[in-house]
Amino acid sequence: MAVLIGVDFTSRPTRRKPVVLAMGERDGSRVVLRHLHQFDTLPGLARWLAQPGDWVGAFDLPFGLPRELALALGWPTDWLACARHYAGLSRAEIRARFAAFCAARPAGRKFAHRATDGPAGSSPSMKWVNPPVAWMLHAGVPLLIDAGVHLPGLHAGDPRRVALEAYPGLLARELIGRVSYKSDERARQTPKRTAARERMVAALQQGATRLELHLVLTSAQRAALVQDASGDSLDAVLCLMQAAWGARAHACGDAWYGLPTDLDPLEGWIVTALRGPQR
């Protein structure tokens, strides 16, 4: 069985808000959840990623910036050079440059988007608030580079450790539409959101998605996913399912793990997102 990981990432993990890594295996159309790991520091996650291994992982963080943005700012358009340039800037510098870029653009078109944003329904990777995915890219991509993992279509690395960009919201919308299922605020951790997580987990177990994969859980694991009101554990499992889809594509002969072969090599692509608008 193929080893899989799904990672719900945060750029500043703490004990209260850790990075959650779901580890599992694929056996045909069955995806078996084995463990949920937590990392309350980025160095802890970095050490795990750098270990020798054999896995396909899906990570909930953007892997690239919009080409339009890089061109406008005069940044490198080679992925590795751009990633290293971006990592070398402080958050204050990034915020100032992104804010100036947005200020010069008309209402409704403030942010530059990647080609994958429409099909995935994802936020622009340059967005620094609500959600601050720009900081996730800034903190997360250097970990992947330093760990020497392989990013199909973007960066050649260890072919035994493969990282794919994921977005759990893409699969969540397929399961329950735009119903809210999580919150970090205790006052918003309502029975309605708990019920939404219960429906999501049941649908994943039934294989009720276009991925045609069934999640296999113990009773204790199922309870843990439903009871985690932050949704972080469930998001890690959604990423795990996206990793399984990519791994299955590779097992069927697709060297790109289901990613489009004409993806922009600067921007990247979110695994399981299909060509065409899905917003």
Side-chain angles (χ1 to χ4, degrees), residues 19-142:
V19 173
V20 180
L21 184 152
M23 179 179 291
E25 298 168 327
R26 184 182 66 85
D27 182 11
S29 64
R30 301 167 71 250
V31 180
V32 183
L33 178 63
R34 295 302 185 193
H35 306 285
L36 287 171
H37 300 283
Q38 295 185 347
F39 300 91
D40 56 20
T41 68
L42 291 181
L45 175 62
R47 286 191 294 272
W48 192 96
L49 293 172
Q51 296 177 105
D54 195 343
W55 48 259
V56 175
F59 294 74
D60 179 21
L61 67 128
F63 284 6
L65 290 166
R67 180 172 292 273
E68 179 185 8
L69 175 68
L71 289 171
L73 297 179
W75 290 359
T77 54
D78 169 79
W79 182 84
L80 183 58
C82 187
R84 285 177 168 161
H85 175 80
Y86 185 67
L89 300 174
S90 70
R91 287 191 176 188
E93 290 172 317
I94 293 168
R95 185 184 294 109
R97 295 183 192 191
F98 285 5
F101 173 89
C102 292
R105 290 164 65 87
R109 295 185 56 249
K110 293 295 185 182
F111 292 100
H113 287 266
R114 296 182 295 161
T116 193
D117 288 339
S122 53
S123 296
S125 60
M126 66 171 294
K127 196 171 185 184
W128 63 93
V129 290
N130 301 322
V133 289
W135 306 150
M136 295 167 70
L137 190 161
H138 187 254
V141 165

Side-chain angles (χ1 to χ4, degrees), residues 247-264:
R248 184 178 61 186
H250 185 260
C252 292
D254 185 345
W256 287 62
Y257 292 82
L259 303 177
T261 56
D262 61 345
L263 65 79
D264 187 310

Side-chain angles (χ1 to χ4, degrees), residues 3-253:
V3 176
L4 307 167
I5 64 171
V7 178
D8 180 65
F9 189 77
T10 177
S11 61
R12 286 182 170 169
T14 63
R15 288 187 178 181
R16 183 177 178 182
K17 183 72 174 177
V19 173
V20 180
L21 184 152
M23 179 179 291
E25 298 168 327
R26 184 182 66 85
D27 182 11
S29 64
R30 301 167 71 250
V31 180
V32 183
L33 178 63
R34 295 302 185 193
H35 306 285
L36 287 171
H37 300 283
Q38 295 185 347
F39 300 91
D40 56 20
T41 68
L42 291 181
L45 175 62
R47 286 191 294 272
W48 192 96
L49 293 172
Q51 296 177 105
D54 195 343
W55 48 259
V56 175
F59 294 74
D60 179 21
L61 67 128
F63 284 6
L65 290 166
R67 180 172 292 273
E68 179 185 8
L69 175 68
L71 289 171
L73 297 179
W75 290 359
T77 54
D78 169 79
W79 182 84
L80 183 58
C82 187
R84 285 177 168 161
H85 175 80
Y86 185 67
L89 300 174
S90 70
R91 287 191 176 188
E93 290 172 317
I94 293 168
R95 185 184 294 109
R97 295 183 192 191
F98 285 5
F101 173 89
C102 292
R105 290 164 65 87
R109 295 185 56 249
K110 293 295 185 182
F111 292 100
H113 287 266
R114 296 182 295 161
T116 193
D117 288 339
S122 53
S123 296
S125 60
M126 66 171 294
K127 196 171 185 184
W128 63 93
V129 290
N130 301 322
V133 289
W135 306 150
M136 295 167 70
L137 190 161
H138 187 254
V141 165
L143 299 183
L144 300 176
I145 294 172
D146 291 345
V149 303
H150 180 59
L151 282 66
L154 296 178
H155 179 62
D158 179 1
R160 295 181 59 192
R161 293 174 296 133
V162 178
L164 305 170
E165 180 181 342
Y167 175 45
L170 173 59
L171 186 52
R173 285 196 299 272
E174 185 175 343
L175 294 168
I176 59 169
R178 295 188 178 273
V179 175
S180 178
Y181 63 94
K182 60 181 180 178
S183 178
D184 289 329
E185 300 175 25
R186 187 174 295 275
R188 300 181 65 193
Q189 295 174 351
T190 60
K192 186 175 180 180
R193 287 185 169 89
T194 301
R197 291 192 299 277
E198 289 177 337
R199 294 198 304 275
M200 291 173 68
V201 172
L204 289 170
Q205 290 180 295
Q206 294 161 9
T209 74
R210 62 182 170 83
L211 304 187
E212 299 181 339
L213 294 166
H214 299 256
L215 178 63
V216 179
L217 302 170
T218 65
S219 296
Q221 288 171 337
R222 189 183 195 284
L225 295 181
V226 172
Q227 291 168 9
D228 181 359
S230 72
D232 295 344
S233 298
L234 183 50
D235 281 349
V237 169
L238 292 173
C239 290
L240 179 74
M241 300 301 286
Q242 292 175 310
W245 184 88
R248 184 178 61 186
H250 185 260
C252 292

